[in-house]
Coordinates of all heavy atoms in Angstrom, one line a residue:
Q233 N 95.0 -14.4 4.5 CA 94.5 -15.4 5.4 C 93.9 -16.6 4.6 O 93.1 -16.4 3.7 CB 93.4 -14.8 6.3 CG 92.8 -15.8 7.3 CD 91.8 -15.2 8.2 OE1 90.8 -15.9 8.5 NE2 92.0 -14.0 8.7
T234 N 94.5 -17.8 4.9 CA 94.1 -19.0 4.2 C 94.2 -20.2 5.1 O 95.0 -20.1 6.1 CB 94.9 -19.2 2.9 OG1 94.6 -18.2 2.0 CG2 94.6 -20.5 2.2
E235 N 93.5 -21.2 4.9 CA 93.6 -22.4 5.7 C 95.0 -23.0 5.5 O 95.5 -23.1 4.4 CB 92.6 -23.5 5.3 CG 92.7 -24.7 6.2 CD 91.6 -25.8 5.9 OE1 90.7 -25.5 5.1 OE2 91.6 -26.8 6.5
Y236 N 95.7 -23.3 6.6 CA 97.0 -23.9 6.6 C 97.3 -24.7 7.8 O 97.0 -24.2 8.9 CB 98.1 -22.8 6.4 CG 99.5 -23.2 6.2 CD1 99.8 -24.4 5.5 CD2 100.6 -22.5 6.6 CE1 101.1 -24.8 5.3 CE2 101.9 -22.9 6.4 CZ 102.2 -24.0 5.7 OH 103.4 -24.5 5.4
S237 N 97.6 -25.9 7.6 CA 97.9 -26.8 8.7 C 98.7 -28.0 8.2 O 98.9 -28.1 7.0 CB 96.6 -27.3 9.4 OG 95.9 -28.2 8.5
L238 N 99.0 -28.9 9.0 CA 99.6 -30.2 8.6 C 98.8 -30.8 7.5 O 99.4 -31.3 6.5 CB 99.8 -31.2 9.7 CG 101.0 -30.8 10.7 CD1 100.7 -31.5 12.0 CD2 102.3 -31.3 10.1
W239 N 97.5 -30.8 7.6 CA 96.7 -31.5 6.6 C 96.2 -30.7 5.4 O 95.6 -31.2 4.5 CB 95.6 -32.3 7.3 CG 94.2 -31.7 7.4 CD1 93.8 -30.4 7.5 CD2 93.0 -32.5 7.5 NE1 92.5 -30.3 7.7 CE2 92.0 -31.6 7.7 CE3 92.7 -33.9 7.5 CZ2 90.6 -32.0 7.9 CZ3 91.4 -34.3 7.6 CH2 90.4 -33.4 7.8
T240 N 96.5 -29.4 5.4 CA 96.2 -28.5 4.3 C 97.4 -27.7 4.0 O 97.7 -26.7 4.6 CB 95.0 -27.6 4.6 OG1 93.8 -28.4 4.8 CG2 94.7 -26.6 3.5
R241 N 98.1 -28.1 2.9 CA 99.4 -27.5 2.6 C 99.3 -26.6 1.3 O 100.4 -26.2 0.8 CB 100.4 -28.6 2.3 CG 100.6 -29.6 3.4 CD 101.3 -29.0 4.7 NE 101.7 -30.0 5.6 CZ 102.9 -30.6 5.6 NH1 103.8 -30.2 4.7 NH2 103.1 -31.5 6.5
N242 N 98.1 -26.3 0.9 CA 98.0 -25.6 -0.4 C 98.8 -24.3 -0.4 O 99.4 -23.9 -1.5 CB 96.5 -25.2 -0.6 CG 95.6 -26.5 -0.7 OD1 95.5 -27.2 0.3 ND2 95.1 -26.7 -1.9
P243 N 99.0 -23.5 0.7 CA 99.8 -22.3 0.6 C 101.2 -22.6 0.2 O 101.9 -21.7 -0.3 CB 99.7 -21.8 2.1 CG 98.4 -22.3 2.6 CD 98.3 -23.7 2.0
E244 N 101.7 -23.8 0.4 CA 103.1 -24.1 0.0 C 103.3 -24.1 -1.5 O 104.4 -24.1 -1.9 CB 103.5 -25.4 0.7 CG 103.5 -25.3 2.2 CD 103.8 -26.7 2.9 OE1 104.0 -27.7 2.2 OE2 103.7 -26.7 4.1
I245 N 102.2 -24.2 -2.2 CA 102.3 -24.3 -3.7 C 102.9 -23.0 -4.2 O 103.9 -23.0 -5.0 CB 101.0 -24.6 -4.4 CG1 100.4 -25.9 -3.9 CG2 101.1 -24.6 -5.9 CD1 98.9 -26.1 -4.3
A246 N 102.3 -21.9 -3.8 CA 102.8 -20.6 -4.4 C 102.6 -19.4 -3.5 O 103.3 -18.4 -3.5 CB 102.2 -20.4 -5.8
V247 N 101.4 -19.3 -2.8 CA 101.0 -18.1 -2.1 C 102.0 -17.7 -1.0 O 102.2 -16.5 -0.7 CB 99.6 -18.1 -1.7 CG1 99.3 -18.8 -0.4 CG2 99.0 -16.7 -1.7
L248 N 102.5 -18.7 -0.3 CA 103.4 -18.4 0.8 C 104.7 -17.6 0.3 O 105.1 -16.6 0.8 CB 103.9 -19.6 1.5 CG 103.2 -20.0 2.9 CD1 103.8 -21.2 3.4 CD2 103.4 -18.8 3.9
A249 N 105.2 -18.1 -0.8 CA 106.4 -17.5 -1.5 C 106.0 -16.1 -1.9 O 106.8 -15.2 -1.8 CB 106.9 -18.4 -2.6
A250 N 104.8 -15.9 -2.5 CA 104.4 -14.6 -2.9 C 104.3 -13.6 -1.8 O 104.6 -12.5 -1.9 CB 103.1 -14.7 -3.7
C251 N 103.7 -14.1 -0.6 CA 103.6 -13.3 0.6 C 105.0 -12.8 1.0 O 105.2 -11.6 1.3 CB 103.0 -14.1 1.7 SG 101.2 -14.3 1.6
R252 N 106.0 -13.7 1.0 CA 107.3 -13.4 1.4 C 108.0 -12.4 0.5 O 108.7 -11.5 0.9 CB 108.2 -14.6 1.6 CG 107.7 -15.4 2.9 CD 108.2 -16.8 3.0 NE 107.7 -17.3 4.3 CZ 107.6 -18.6 4.6 NH1 108.0 -19.5 3.7 NH2 107.1 -19.0 5.7
E253 N 107.7 -12.5 -0.8 CA 108.2 -11.6 -1.8 C 107.7 -10.2 -1.6 O 108.4 -9.2 -1.8 CB 107.7 -12.1 -3.2 CG 108.3 -11.6 -4.4 CD 107.5 -12.3 -5.6 OE1 107.6 -13.5 -5.8 OE2 106.8 -11.5 -6.3
L254 N 106.4 -10.1 -1.1 CA 105.8 -8.8 -1.0 C 105.8 -8.2 0.4 O 105.3 -7.1 0.7 CB 104.3 -8.9 -1.4 CG 104.1 -9.3 -2.9 CD1 102.7 -9.8 -3.2 CD2 104.4 -8.0 -3.8
G255 N 106.4 -9.0 1.4 CA 106.3 -8.6 2.8 C 105.0 -8.7 3.4 O 104.6 -7.9 4.3
T256 N 104.2 -9.6 3.0 CA 102.8 -9.8 3.5 C 102.8 -11.0 4.5 O 103.3 -12.0 4.2 CB 101.9 -10.2 2.3 OG1 101.9 -9.1 1.4 CG2 100.5 -10.5 2.7
A257 N 102.2 -10.7 5.7 CA 102.1 -11.8 6.7 C 101.1 -12.8 6.2 O 100.2 -12.6 5.4 CB 101.7 -11.2 8.0
F258 N 101.3 -14.0 6.8 CA 100.4 -15.1 6.5 C 99.6 -15.5 7.7 O 100.2 -16.0 8.7 CB 101.1 -16.3 5.9 CG 100.2 -17.4 5.3 CD1 99.8 -17.3 4.0 CD2 99.6 -18.3 6.1 CE1 98.9 -18.3 3.5 CE2 98.7 -19.2 5.6 CZ 98.4 -19.2 4.3
V259 N 98.3 -15.4 7.7 CA 97.4 -15.8 8.8 C 96.8 -17.1 8.5 O 96.0 -17.2 7.5 CB 96.4 -14.7 9.1 CG1 95.5 -15.1 10.2 CG2 97.1 -13.4 9.5
A260 N 97.0 -18.1 9.3 CA 96.6 -19.5 9.1 C 95.3 -19.8 9.8 O 95.3 -19.9 11.1 CB 97.7 -20.4 9.5
F261 N 94.2 -19.9 9.1 CA 93.0 -20.3 9.8 C 92.8 -21.8 9.8 O 93.5 -22.5 9.0 CB 91.7 -19.6 9.2 CG 91.2 -20.0 7.9 CD1 90.4 -21.2 7.8 CD2 91.3 -19.3 6.8 CE1 89.9 -21.6 6.6 CE2 90.8 -19.7 5.5 CZ 90.1 -20.9 5.5
S262 N 92.0 -22.3 10.7 CA 91.8 -23.8 10.8 C 93.2 -24.5 11.0 O 93.4 -25.5 10.3 CB 91.0 -24.4 9.7 OG 89.7 -23.9 9.7
P263 N 94.1 -24.0 11.9 CA 95.4 -24.6 12.0 C 95.3 -26.0 12.7 O 96.3 -26.7 12.6 CB 96.1 -23.6 12.9 CG 95.1 -22.9 13.7 CD 93.9 -22.8 12.8
L264 N 94.2 -26.3 13.3 CA 94.0 -27.6 13.9 C 93.1 -28.5 13.1 O 92.5 -29.4 13.5 CB 93.5 -27.4 15.3 CG 94.4 -26.7 16.3 CD1 93.8 -26.5 17.6 CD2 95.7 -27.5 16.4
A265 N 93.0 -28.1 11.8 CA 92.2 -28.9 10.8 C 90.8 -29.2 11.3 O 90.3 -30.3 11.2 CB 92.9 -30.2 10.5
R266 N 90.1 -28.1 11.8 CA 88.7 -28.2 12.2 C 88.5 -29.3 13.3 O 87.6 -30.1 13.2 CB 87.8 -28.3 11.0 CG 88.0 -27.3 10.0 CD 87.1 -27.4 8.8 NE 87.5 -26.5 7.7 CZ 87.1 -25.3 7.5 NH1 86.4 -24.7 8.4 NH2 87.5 -24.6 6.5
A267 N 89.5 -29.4 14.2 CA 89.5 -30.3 15.3 C 90.1 -31.6 15.0 O 90.5 -32.4 16.0 CB 88.1 -30.5 16.0
Y268 N 90.3 -32.0 13.8 CA 91.0 -33.3 13.4 C 92.3 -33.4 14.2 O 92.6 -34.5 14.8 CB 91.2 -33.4 11.9 CG 92.1 -34.5 11.5 CD1 91.7 -35.8 11.6 CD2 93.4 -34.2 11.1 CE1 92.6 -36.8 11.2 CE2 94.3 -35.2 10.7 CZ 93.9 -36.5 10.7 OH 94.8 -37.5 10.4
L269 N 93.2 -32.4 14.1 CA 94.5 -32.5 14.7 C 94.5 -32.5 16.2 O 95.6 -32.7 16.8 CB 95.4 -31.4 14.1 CG 95.8 -31.6 12.6 CD1 96.4 -30.3 12.1 CD2 96.7 -32.8 12.5
T270 N 93.4 -32.2 16.9 CA 93.4 -32.3 18.3 C 93.3 -33.8 18.8 O 93.6 -34.1 19.9 CB 92.1 -31.6 18.9 OG1 90.9 -32.4 18.5 CG2 92.0 -30.2 18.5
G271 N 92.9 -34.7 17.8 CA 92.8 -36.1 18.2 C 91.5 -36.4 18.9 O 91.2 -37.6 19.3
R272 N 90.6 -35.4 19.1 CA 89.4 -35.6 19.9 C 88.2 -35.9 19.0 O 87.2 -36.3 19.5 CB 89.1 -34.4 20.8 CG 90.2 -34.1 21.8 CD 89.9 -32.9 22.7 NE 91.0 -32.5 23.5 CZ 91.7 -31.4 23.2 NH1 91.4 -30.6 22.2 NH2 92.7 -31.1 24.0
L273 N 88.3 -35.6 17.7 CA 87.1 -35.8 16.9 C 87.2 -37.2 16.2 O 87.8 -37.3 15.1 CB 87.1 -34.7 15.8 CG 85.9 -34.7 14.8 CD1 84.6 -34.5 15.6 CD2 86.1 -33.7 13.7
T274 N 86.7 -38.1 16.9 CA 86.8 -39.5 16.4 C 85.5 -40.0 15.8 O 85.5 -40.9 14.9 CB 87.2 -40.5 17.6 OG1 86.2 -40.3 18.6 CG2 88.6 -40.2 18.1
D275 N 84.4 -39.4 16.1 CA 83.1 -39.8 15.6 C 82.4 -38.7 14.9 O 81.7 -37.9 15.5 CB 82.2 -40.3 16.7 CG 80.8 -40.8 16.2 OD1 80.7 -41.0 15.0 OD2 79.9 -41.0 17.1
V276 N 82.6 -38.6 13.5 CA 82.0 -37.5 12.8 C 80.5 -37.7 12.6 O 79.8 -36.8 12.2 CB 82.7 -37.3 11.4 CG1 84.1 -36.8 11.6 CG2 82.7 -38.6 10.6
T277 N 80.0 -38.9 12.8 CA 78.5 -39.1 12.7 C 77.8 -38.3 13.8 O 76.6 -38.1 13.6 CB 78.1 -40.6 12.8 OG1 78.5 -41.1 14.1 CG2 78.9 -41.4 11.8
A278 N 78.4 -37.9 14.8 CA 77.8 -37.2 15.9 C 77.7 -35.7 15.7 O 77.2 -34.9 16.5 CB 78.5 -37.5 17.2

Side-chain angles (χ1 to χ4, degrees):
Q233 182 176 141
T234 293
E235 183 174 356
Y236 188 28
S237 69
L238 283 158
W239 93 331
T240 295
R241 304 294 191 90
N242 303 63
E244 296 173 3
I245 301 170
V247 81
L248 258 181
C251 284
R252 285 167 179 161
E253 193 183 294
L254 295 164
T256 297
F258 189 94
V259 175
F261 76 76
S262 296
L264 297 177
R266 306 182 192 274
Y268 164 75
L269 288 168
T270 68
R272 301 184 188 104
L273 183 61
T274 54
D275 181 13
V276 289
T277 64

